[in-house]
Amino acid sequence: MWGITIIACMSFPVVFGQNARLELRIIPLLFGTLYGGFLSGIFLSALIILYRLYFGIDIGFYNTVLVLLFSLPVILYFQKSFASSKKDLRVKIAVGLSFYYCFIGLTFFGILRDFSIDYLKVQIIHLIFAVVVTWFFAMLEETIREIHQLRLELHNSEKIRVISELTSVFAHEIRNPLQVTRGFLQLLNEPDLPDQKKEYIQISLEELDRANEIINDFLSFGKPSIYNNERIDVGYQLQRVVNIIQSYTLNHNVEIKTDILANCWIYANPQKLNQSLINILKNAIESMPNGGIVWITCTSTNDGYININIKDQGIGMTKKQIDMLGSPYYSLKESGTGLGMMVSFQIVRSFKGKIQVNSEKDIGTEFIILLPKIT
Ligand code: ADP
Ligand code: MG
C-alpha cells in the first residue's frame, strides 16, 4: 500500500522552474519504514529509485539517489527506537525525520542545480508543508492506535472484575461437592456397612465430576481469548454460561428457566460470546434483589438470525435509562462499573449482531440478542 502511494505521489508532482518536481513521497516512505521496519524501508527506497529511473537518468535522478543515500540510514537508525517509544516521542521522531529528509533534499537541490532565492522559497514552503502533513498523520495514526489499545484493555479489565466477583461464589460452590464426598467417604469407613455402599460411591463420583465441571467452566471463561471466530452452537454456549452462573443465581435466590433450540449455528468467538452473555445475565440476576425467575430462550428467526432472549422480573428501566445503556461508566449500582453493557454491545456488534432492549419499570427487562445465522 505504501508502495502504491509512493508511485501515485511521484506520478503527479508539482513542477516548477527547470524541470524541478516537488511531491510528498517522503510521507509514505517514512511511515512505511517506521511502522513496517527495515525490509519495508529497503523495498520502498528501491521502488523510488526504480520508478525514478523510468523517467530517465538526469540530474533529478542523481538528486533522488543522493537524498536517499543520506536519509535512509538515518530513518532506519531511528526506526528501532521508534518501535519501542510512546506516542509523543513517535510523533517527534516522525516530524524530525521528515524535516531532515526535506532539508537534505533542499541542500542537494542547491548544490546540484543553480541556487536561487526563488527556488529556495518554494523549497521552504514544500518543507513546511511536508512537516505539517507528517505531524498530522503521525498524530492521527497514533491516536487511532491508542484508542484501539484502550478498548482492548477495557475488555480485559472488565473480564477480570467479573471473575474476581464470581470467585468467592465459585469457591463456595466447589466446596459443596467436596464436603458431600467427604461425608460419604466417612460413611464408607464404618465397619458394618449397610447395603448402600455402591450408591454412596456413585454419589461421591458424581459430586466430584460436578466440582471438576465447575472448575473447567471457570477456567475456560478466564482464558485469554484468542481472537478467532469459529462455527459455534449457540445453545451449547448458552448452557455453559448457565452452568457458570448457576452458583451466582443460587446466592441471589434466582431460578433460571431455559428453552433452547438445538442446532443454532453462528460464526463467532465462543469466549467473547460467553463474556457478553454473562454480563447480560448478571445484570438480569442483580435486577431482582428479592429473587425471581430469568427466562432464557434461543430460537431461529425467519430472516436469518438466531434470537437469544433473556428476560427477568427485575426492577426494570425507564426509557431514559435504556437509552443510557451501553455508555461507559453508566451504572445505577453502588459497586457497579457500568462497563458490562458497553462490552456486551461491542462484542455483539463485532459479530454483526444486534441487541434490542424492552423494559418496564418494576415489571422486568427483556434483552433480545440477534446474531446472524449460518447453516
Ligand atoms: P453495572 O452492572 O456494573 O452497573 P452494566 O453496564 O452491566 O454496569 O449495567 C449498567 C446499568 O444498566 C446497571 O447499573 C443497571 O442500572 C442497568 N441495567 C442493566 N441491565 C438491567 C436489567 N436487566 N434490569 C434493570 N436494569 C438493568
Ligand atoms: Mg453489570
Side-chain angles (χ1 to χ4, degrees), residues 161 283-284 287 312 316-317 325 330-333 336-341 365 367:
R161 194 183 66 85
N283 283 345
S287 78
D312 64 55
M317 286 178 277
L325 219 55
Y330 171 71
S331 173
L332 296 179
K333 293 170 198 164
T337 61
L339 294 176
M341 283 296 101
T365 307
F367 275 83

Side-chain angles (χ1 to χ4, degrees), residues 224-267:
S225 81
I226 9 148
Y227 291 103
N228 282 336
N229 286 353
E230 53 189 85
R231 203 176 110 90
I232 53 176
D233 183 0
V234 178
Y236 175 74
Q237 295 301 331
L238 266 173
Q239 202 53 57
R240 291 195 65 155
V241 166
V242 172
N243 285 345
I244 293 178
I245 207 105
Q246 196 80 54
S247 39
Y248 200 65
T249 62
L250 293 179
N251 258 28
H252 285 74
N253 211 0
V254 169
E255 191 187 342
I256 294 188
K257 292 194 172 172
T258 55
D259 181 10
I260 297 172
L261 189 73
N263 284 323
C264 292
W265 296 96
I266 62 165
Y267 191 69

Side-chain angles (χ1 to χ4, degrees), residues 102-332:
C102 293
F103 187 74
I104 294 280
L106 184 154
T107 313
F108 276 113
F109 191 91
I111 295 172
L112 290 177
R113 312 176 200 205
D114 292 338
F115 175 81
S116 88
I117 290 292
D118 276 348
Y119 277 0
L120 188 67
K121 271 189 207 159
V122 177
Q123 293 272 11
I124 286 178
I125 292 172
H126 174 247
L127 181 145
I128 294 173
F129 188 69
V131 168
V132 170
V133 174
T134 307
W135 174 81
F136 178 76
F137 278 109
M139 282 301 273
L140 192 69
E141 168 87 29
E142 288 303 319
T143 309
I144 292 172
R145 275 168 187 254
E146 202 175 50
I147 291 172
H148 188 71
Q149 191 62 32
L150 279 180
R151 209 169 269 174
L152 282 183
E153 278 167 20
L154 209 57
H155 272 219
N156 281 339
S157 68
E158 174 66 4
K159 185 150 107 184
I160 287 167
R161 194 183 66 85
V162 173
I163 288 178
S164 61
E165 237 172 56
L166 293 180
T167 304
S168 56
V169 196
F170 268 111
H172 182 75
E173 190 65 5
I174 291 164
R175 191 183 286 148
N176 276 346
L178 291 185
Q179 258 160 1
V180 172
T181 311
R182 184 177 191 283
F184 281 112
L185 285 179
Q186 225 165 10
L187 282 180
L188 284 174
N189 206 16
E190 297 285 313
D192 41 10
L193 258 184
D195 309 329
Q196 288 105 321
K197 194 172 162 183
K198 261 204 160 130
E199 194 187 331
Y200 288 175
I201 294 176
Q202 186 55 35
I203 296 175
S204 301
L205 284 177
E206 275 169 18
E207 289 295 304
L208 285 180
D209 284 345
R210 189 168 150 56
N212 198 17
E213 221 168 88
I214 294 168
I215 293 171
N216 277 344
D217 281 342
F218 192 47
L219 286 182
S220 72
F221 176 60
K223 233 190 272 169
S225 81
I226 9 148
Y227 291 103
N228 282 336
N229 286 353
E230 53 189 85
R231 203 176 110 90
I232 53 176
D233 183 0
V234 178
Y236 175 74
Q237 295 301 331
L238 266 173
Q239 202 53 57
R240 291 195 65 155
V241 166
V242 172
N243 285 345
I244 293 178
I245 207 105
Q246 196 80 54
S247 39
Y248 200 65
T249 62
L250 293 179
N251 258 28
H252 285 74
N253 211 0
V254 169
E255 191 187 342
I256 294 188
K257 292 194 172 172
T258 55
D259 181 10
I260 297 172
L261 189 73
N263 284 323
C264 292
W265 296 96
I266 62 165
Y267 191 69
N269 174 297
Q271 279 132 23
K272 282 179 144 192
L273 179 71
N274 288 0
Q275 188 183 0
S276 129
L277 292 173
I278 283 179
N279 290 348
I280 294 172
L281 257 179
K282 254 186 91 233
N283 283 345
I285 293 164
E286 287 161 1
S287 78
M288 299 186 285
N290 302 317
I293 302 175
V294 177
W295 286 273
I296 303 178
T297 62
C298 172
T299 51
S300 169
T301 68
N302 292 329
D303 54 349
Y305 284 95
I306 300 293
N307 177 333
I308 305 171
N309 193 304
I310 298 176
K311 196 167 159 192
D312 64 55
Q313 303 177 303
I315 51 174
M317 286 178 277
T318 61
K319 177 94 185 47
K320 227 173 165 184
Q321 288 171 346
I322 298 179
D323 288 342
M324 289 298 291
L325 219 55
S327 344
Y329 307 113
Y330 171 71
S331 173
L332 296 179

